[in-house]
Amino acid sequence: MVQIAELYSSLQGEGRLAGTPSVFVRTSGCNLRCTWCDTPFTSWKPTGTNRTVGDLVEEILSHRLKHVVITGGEPLLASDINVLCNILQHEGQHITIETAATVIPDKGLPTANLMSLSPKLRSSTPNSETGWEQRHEKRRRRDDIIQLLRATPNQIKFVIDSPSDLDEAVSWLADLDIQPQSREARHVYLMPQGVTQSRLQKEALWLDSACKNLGFQLCQRHHITWFGNTRGT
Ligand code: SF4
């Protein structure tokens, strides 16, 4: 069984497959509590329905699209994710897994065509009043897991809210042996924090020049431009 918060088809809004028609499978449940989480219904107040893998596969295939994006929450917490990915691969689906890269399933790495890694910076940590500060801070950075997940074709996406976030991301990437302007740097995406078009446009201005200097990609949140900050898009 997998707890699912939502399942819908739309266009991928972020990263190297932006614009690709895809089925989105959003699992519920997360081991982190980002202060700015844009899907709190999968983390702070998780909701969803337990679905069997067979039932999920049937619904995914009924959309008749080639791409499926398994996202969350934290999809690598879902106990049946390996089975789900194996069946989807057998069915010829292109699988993207979107993860914060802090956990590995008990059954090992699931099969995917693209691992979209989104490590969480210090600024994601909630304050102590939430009761999550220490747990989040302790869990959010797992370089060992990032390196394991990088065995699959991947992209690394950082949510950037300030120049100090950018400094932290560059330093973190150096620890992962990813240097600015290198070949690997082309798979690094900097995404402005925000859920309104005006804020994203403002932040994209300075991030765009940072990306040019560092050899990274600016990660637009196209789905917010296309559909607004709306569930199921
Ligand atoms: S890792 Fe993702 S789902 Fe979990 S709290 Fe952070 S933004 Fe929300």
Side-chain angles (χ1 to χ4, degrees):
M1 300 291 270
V2 187
Q3 195 182 18
I4 299 296
E6 52 187 7
L7 192 161
Y8 56 92
S9 59
S10 186
L11 300 177
Q12 172 59 279
E14 300 172 3
R16 78 168 74 156
L17 292 174
T20 306
S22 307
V23 179
F24 290 80
V25 182
R26 188 179 302 284
T27 64
S28 194
C30 188
N31 57 332
L32 301 180
R33 293 293 184 277
C34 299
T35 185
W36 40 254
C37 180
D38 57 357
T39 56
F41 53 93
T42 68
S43 57
W44 289 98
K45 292 187 177 166
T47 57
T49 311
N50 281 324
R51 308 271 305 264
T52 64
V53 170
D55 177 35
L56 276 178
V57 169
E58 193 177 324
E59 186 172 344
I60 291 165
L61 298 181
S62 75
H63 287 267
R64 300 188 176 278
L65 297 175
K66 274 281 163 221
H67 286 252
V68 56
V69 180
I70 304 177
T71 187
E74 176 47 72
L76 296 184
L77 290 175
S79 55
D80 280 344
I81 188 163
N82 297 63
V83 185
L84 176 63
C85 289
N86 286 343
I87 297 175
L88 290 174
Q89 189 196 38
H90 185 72
E91 294 290 342
Q93 294 282 300
H94 178 288
I95 304 165
T96 300
I97 295 179
E98 297 184 335
T99 171
T102 60
V103 286
I104 293 282
D106 293 342
K107 292 172 190 152
L109 279 186
T111 304
N113 300 87
L114 176 64
M115 281 288 175
S116 185
L117 313 177
S118 184
K120 302 301 184 243
L121 298 168
R122 216 172 284 128
S123 60
S124 67
T125 303
N127 65 34
S128 58
E129 284 162 23
T130 63
W132 271 88
E133 182 185 26
Q134 289 186 6
R135 269 178 291 178
H136 180 97
E137 191 52 33
K138 196 169 158 202
R139 292 173 179 171
R140 72 174 173 81
R141 180 166 174 166
R142 287 292 302 270
D143 292 15
D144 55 333
I145 291 180
I146 293 175
Q147 297 295 34
L148 277 174
L149 294 170
R150 286 181 69 210
T152 301
N154 63 87
Q155 60 189 14
I156 302 182
K157 185 175 70 188
F158 286 100
V159 175
I160 304 287
D161 203 15
S162 66
S164 68
D165 279 353
L166 179 58
D167 292 344
E168 186 186 343
V170 170
S171 161
W172 192 342
L173 288 163
D175 292 344
L176 297 170
D177 208 19
I178 300 174
Q179 308 301 334
Q181 300 295 354
S182 65
R183 202 177 141 85
E184 290 80 16
R186 285 181 302 180
H187 302 300
V188 173
Y189 289 77
L190 302 183
M191 187 168 84
Q193 202 280 109
V195 290
T196 62
Q197 206 178 338
S198 57
R199 176 171 168 106
L200 293 174
Q201 276 173 346
K202 184 166 161 268
E203 296 300 311
L205 286 177
W206 73 272
L207 271 185
D208 187 39
S209 66
C211 284
K212 284 177 185 140
N213 289 336
L214 295 161
F216 300 156
Q217 313 281 331
L218 177 67
C219 186
Q220 303 281 5
R221 305 191 79 191
H222 292 295
H223 50 295
I224 292 191
T225 309
W226 296 328
F227 310 114
N229 185 31
T230 311
R231 274 187 74 165
T233 58

